[in-house]
């Protein structure tokens, strides 16, 4: 079973997230477990200080090593599996994507360290961290939002977390393409009809239409995704036909 543990000085940011939607349902059904550990609880002294001024001077504060190291060791000691990995969330980490989410979903536990302030004392990171992950090239005030993003993306890949047996396989990115368009009732909304084929009941035609919209959207919105992906014969035919349709429009 996947066990997510978030180490943070703001556990109250994480807990409401764990209490909603699909993540909550997965915890209730005991498909995953998730908790936060308050790093302040591992700080010394009456004031439970978790940060200090940087050696060498400069602005901002640095997270002290002892409370974090204590929290990581406690999380590892509690981890139900030896196959748990420790992740430090940092803008300097490897950029998170669906492929990394898939790999992380293979572990039995993820212990996530959320930094705050200017960063974390380098010495905690050396021995205790397996992976450094960033959620994109911009800077946040702390790792908590990133940890929630990682939990959300990884949890939904774990078998049983999503309702249908294959809902995750059809998602955007999973086949190297963006997902097809979706429609639900009513059949006419503000004058716009649902595409005829979806009402036809012909599953072959529907699948073909979905592949078409999936490919065309990918070309229009995220052509970069097609650089890493070979097109099969059917996909090439779909795009060729689309080109011919456009040529007809141009020459009309
Ligand atoms: Cl993981 N942490 C922070 N503080 N900023 C970020 C980030 C993480 N990923 C992108 N920006």
């Amino acid at each position: 079973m996947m066990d997510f543990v978030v180490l943070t000085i703001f556990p109250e940011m994480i807990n409401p997230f764990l209490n909603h939607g699909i993540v909550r349902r997965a915890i209730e059904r005991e498909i995953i477990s998730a908790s936060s550990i308050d790093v302040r609880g591992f700080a010394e002294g009456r004031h439970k200080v978790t940060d200090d001024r940087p050696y060498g001077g400069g602005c901002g504060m640095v997270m002290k090593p002892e409370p974090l190291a204590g929290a990581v060791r406690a999380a590892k000691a509690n981890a139900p599996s030896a196959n748990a990995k420790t992740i430090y969330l940092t803008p300097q980490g490897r950029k998170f994507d669906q492929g990394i989410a898939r790999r992380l979903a293979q572990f039995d536990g993820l212990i996530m360290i959320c930094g705050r302030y200017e960063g974390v004392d380098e010495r905690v990171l050396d021995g205790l961290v397996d992976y450094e992950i960033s959620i994109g090239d911009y800077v946040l005030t702390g790792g908590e939002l990133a940890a929630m993003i990682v939990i959300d993306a990884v949890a939904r890949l774990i078998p049983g977390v999503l309702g249908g047996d294959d809902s995750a396989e059809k998602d955007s990115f999973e086949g190297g393409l963006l997902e097809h368009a979706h429609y639900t009732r009513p059949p006419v909304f503000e004058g716009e009809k649902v595409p005829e084929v979806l009402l036809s009941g012909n599953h072959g035609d529907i699948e073909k239409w979905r592949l078409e919209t999936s490919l065309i959207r990918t070309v229009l919105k995220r052509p970069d995704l097609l650089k890493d992906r070979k097109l099969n014969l059917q996909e090439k035919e779909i795009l060729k036909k689309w080109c011919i349709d456009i040529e007809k429009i141009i020459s009309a």
Side-chain angles (χ1 to χ4, degrees):
M1 174 157 102
M2 173 62 89
D3 182 36
F4 297 99
V5 181
V6 182
L7 310 185
T8 170
I9 58 166
F10 295 134
E12 60 276 30
M13 280 182 78
I14 308 294
N15 295 334
F17 161 69
L18 299 177
N19 256 318
H20 288 91
I22 286 172
V23 170
R24 180 198 175 115
R25 190 181 64 183
I27 294 169
E28 284 170 351
R29 293 184 177 173
E30 299 184 16
I31 306 168
I32 64 170
S33 56
S35 56
S36 52
I37 292 183
D38 188 352
V39 171
R40 196 174 294 279
F42 294 84
E44 294 289 319
R46 202 159 63 83
H47 295 290
K48 304 272 179 206
V49 175
T50 56
D51 62 329
D52 205 343
R53 302 200 325 273
Y55 275 122
C59 58
M61 298 292 269
V62 176
M63 272 183 105
K64 289 167 67 60
E66 308 93 319
L68 263 181
V72 174
R73 293 207 173 92
K76 287 189 176 183
N78 283 336
S81 157
N83 191 20
K85 296 290 174 192
T86 302
I87 295 170
Y88 173 47
L89 296 150
T90 165
Q92 299 189 6
R94 171 113 181 254
K95 213 184 286 175
F96 188 62
D97 62 15
Q98 194 67 18
I100 296 182
R102 269 193 295 268
R103 262 194 277 157
L104 295 180
Q106 305 301 314
F107 298 117
D108 294 334
L110 297 177
I111 297 165
M112 288 180 273
I113 303 173
C114 302
R116 279 269 148 184
Y117 318 114
E118 290 305 301
V120 168
D121 187 294
E122 195 66 25
R123 293 165 296 180
V124 202
L125 306 175
D126 292 343
L128 293 173
V129 171
D130 299 305
Y131 303 109
E132 294 191 345
I133 289 178
S134 162
I135 57 161
D137 291 342
Y138 41 82
V139 181
L140 305 172
T141 57
E144 285 79 6
L145 284 166
M148 290 187 268
I149 283 169
V150 171
I151 293 174
D152 199 283
V154 172
R156 64 191 293 292
L157 295 177
I158 292 168
V161 168
L162 296 183
D165 27 85
D166 66 352
S167 347
E169 267 122 66
K170 293 197 174 154
D171 284 331
S172 289
F173 306 114
E174 286 295 345
L177 300 175
L178 298 181
E179 209 185 354
H180 61 76
H182 299 274
Y183 295 88
T184 186
R185 288 182 294 179
V188 182
F189 171 68
E190 297 184 353
E192 285 225 56
K193 282 192 211 148
V194 171
E196 203 97 16
V197 58
L198 298 179
L199 310 175
S200 71
N202 184 327
H203 292 289
D205 286 355
I206 292 170
E207 278 315 304
K208 180 154 182 286
W209 179 87
R210 286 186 168 163
L211 178 59
E212 276 170 22
T213 63
S214 190
L215 267 171
I216 290 166
R217 285 164 168 239
T218 309
V219 171
L220 291 176
K221 298 189 195 190
R222 290 294 306 275
D224 58 297
L225 294 179
L226 294 172
K227 284 206 192 82
D228 307 324
R229 189 185 181 283
K230 283 207 170 68
L231 297 174
N232 66 32
L233 208 63
Q234 186 191 18
E235 292 164 347
K236 285 181 184 166
E237 288 306 319
I238 289 169
L239 288 181
K240 275 187 206 159
K241 183 179 166 293
W242 191 51
C243 286
I244 292 167
D245 288 347
I246 290 173
E247 276 170 7
K248 276 188 205 146
I249 293 170
I250 293 169
S251 55

